[in-house]
Amino acid sequence: MHRRLLLTGAGLGLLGLAGCRLAPIHTVTDGAFRGSAPLPRRGDQIRRAAIRLGWQVQDIRPGLMRATFSARRDQAVVEIAYTRDQFSIRHLESTNLSFDGTQINHAYNGWVQDLERGILAASAT
C-alpha cells in the first residue's frame, strides 16, 4: 500500500512538470514595420495592437513602451523599443513563468508572438 502511494505521488509529480513546458525565450529584434509613418503614429499602432490583445501599455518616452500581460496568476512584462522603421520586444520580468535566464514557459512566447503579429498588422494600416 505504501509503495503504491509513493508511485502514484511520483507519477503525479511528473505529470505536473510535463504541464510546464519551457522553451528558449522569444525576443523580437529589428522587426520591420510595414509602410512608413512618423514616430508618434508608430507608438499609436503599437498601443492599439497591444491593447487589442489584452496587454496594458505604459509610455516610458518617445520610442519606448512597457507592456504587461496577465493571465490568471501569470504575468509578463516586456519593453517595446521602436523607431519609424523597426521595433523590438524584450523580456523585462515575469511571474510564475519559470524564467531561468534563457528559457521560459512556452505560453510567454505565444503572447509575444501574438503581439509581434498584431504590431505588424497594425503598421499596415
Side-chain angles (χ1 to χ4, degrees):
M1 176 73 170
H2 186 284
R3 184 175 180 186
R4 184 180 298 170
L5 286 174
L6 284 175
L7 290 174
T8 302
L12 289 174
L14 288 175
L15 284 175
L17 289 175
C20 178
R21 293 191 329 238
L22 296 181
I25 193 161
H26 181 70
T27 300
V28 178
T29 56
D30 303 327
F33 286 117
R34 296 180 181 148
S36 62
L39 193 65
R41 178 157 174 154
R42 291 299 189 202
D44 291 342
Q45 292 168 335
I46 292 168
R47 186 177 302 97
R48 255 194 339 270
I51 290 170
R52 188 176 311 124
L53 292 167
W55 291 79
Q56 295 179 342
V57 181
Q58 175 188 10
D59 288 312
I60 304 300
R61 65 175 188 275
L64 186 64
M65 295 179 176
R66 179 172 291 146
T68 303
F69 186 83
S70 299
R72 297 173 303 279
R73 296 177 304 128
D74 307 334
Q75 186 176 72
V77 181
V78 298
E79 175 182 84
I80 306 170
Y82 60 97
T83 66
R84 293 178 38 201
D85 303 315
Q86 57 192 10
F87 65 97
S88 64
I89 304 172
R90 183 177 66 88
H91 175 271
L92 284 181
E93 59 186 77
S94 54
T95 304
N96 295 325
L97 294 175
S98 303
F99 180 58
D100 69 3
T102 59
Q103 297 211 345
I104 196 162
N105 186 299
H106 73 284
Y108 168 88
N109 287 341
W111 302 335
V112 171
Q113 289 165 343
D114 287 346
L115 179 58
E116 178 181 13
R117 284 190 292 271
I119 291 169
L120 289 172
S123 73
T125 60

